Amino acid sequence: MDFQTSIKTCFKKYAEFSKRASRSEFWWFALFCFIGGIVTAIVDVMILGYSPESYGPINTIFSVITFLPGIAVGARRLHDINKSGWWQLLILTIIGIILLIIWFATEGENKKNKYGPQIKFKK
C-alpha cells in the first residue's frame, strides 16, 4: 500500500474499528499525521502569528480531523496481530508506548483470525 492509498483508506474507514489493517496502511497514515502536524503548526506560527508553545486553530482542526481515523487504524492494526483494539490504552503509560510500537511493527498473521481474513494486496 502506498502513501496516498493509505490516507484514502483511513479516511474512507473513518470510524471502522473492525477488520484488519496492514503495517503499511498504519505507518503511512502515522507519517501523514506527523507531517501534517508539523506543517499546520508552522502555518499557525508563521502565518497566523500564534506562539510556538500553544496550539493554533489550524493545528487543532487537523488534530481533531485525524484523531478518530488514527484510533481506528490503530485498532485495525492490532487486530491484524490478533489483539484487541483496546490495547491502545497502553499509550497512557511509558512502557505501553514501547510495547505498542513493537506490536504496530509486527507482521500480521498470515491466516484468518477472529477479526477477519488475511489482508490481500492487489497487484
Side-chain angles (χ1 to χ4, degrees), residues 104-122:
F104 288 147
T106 302
E107 186 175 352
E109 293 187 342
N110 290 328
K111 60 183 188 226
K112 182 178 180 177
N113 65 18
K114 64 181 176 180
Y115 299 105
Q118 175 185 359
I119 299 169
K120 297 177 183 166
F121 293 105
K122 297 176 185 173

Side-chain angles (χ1 to χ4, degrees), residues 74-88:
R76 291 194 313 271
R77 178 70 207 122
L78 288 172
H79 290 171
D80 194 38
I81 61 168
N82 207 19
K83 301 223 177 289
S84 170
W86 287 102
W87 280 105
Q88 288 184 92

Side-chain angles (χ1 to χ4, degrees), residues 29-91:
F29 191 73
L31 179 64
F32 167 74
C33 291
F34 180 73
I35 292 171
I38 290 172
V39 169
T40 56
I42 290 171
V43 168
D44 283 338
V45 170
M46 300 296 246
I47 296 174
L48 300 179
Y50 281 82
S51 168
E53 292 85 27
S54 66
Y55 290 104
I58 306 295
N59 187 270
T60 302
I61 291 168
F62 180 78
S63 297
V64 167
I65 289 171
T66 58
F67 178 74
L68 195 57
I71 299 296
V73 74
R76 291 194 313 271
R77 178 70 207 122
L78 288 172
H79 290 171
D80 194 38
I81 61 168
N82 207 19
K83 301 223 177 289
S84 170
W86 287 102
W87 280 105
Q88 288 184 92
L89 292 175
L90 285 175
I91 203 157

Side-chain angles (χ1 to χ4, degrees), residues 27 87-104:
W27 287 111
W87 280 105
Q88 288 184 92
L89 292 175
L90 285 175
I91 203 157
L92 301 174
T93 67
I94 304 287
I95 297 296
I97 294 169
I98 297 166
L99 186 59
L100 281 172
I101 290 171
I102 292 169
W103 283 347
F104 288 147

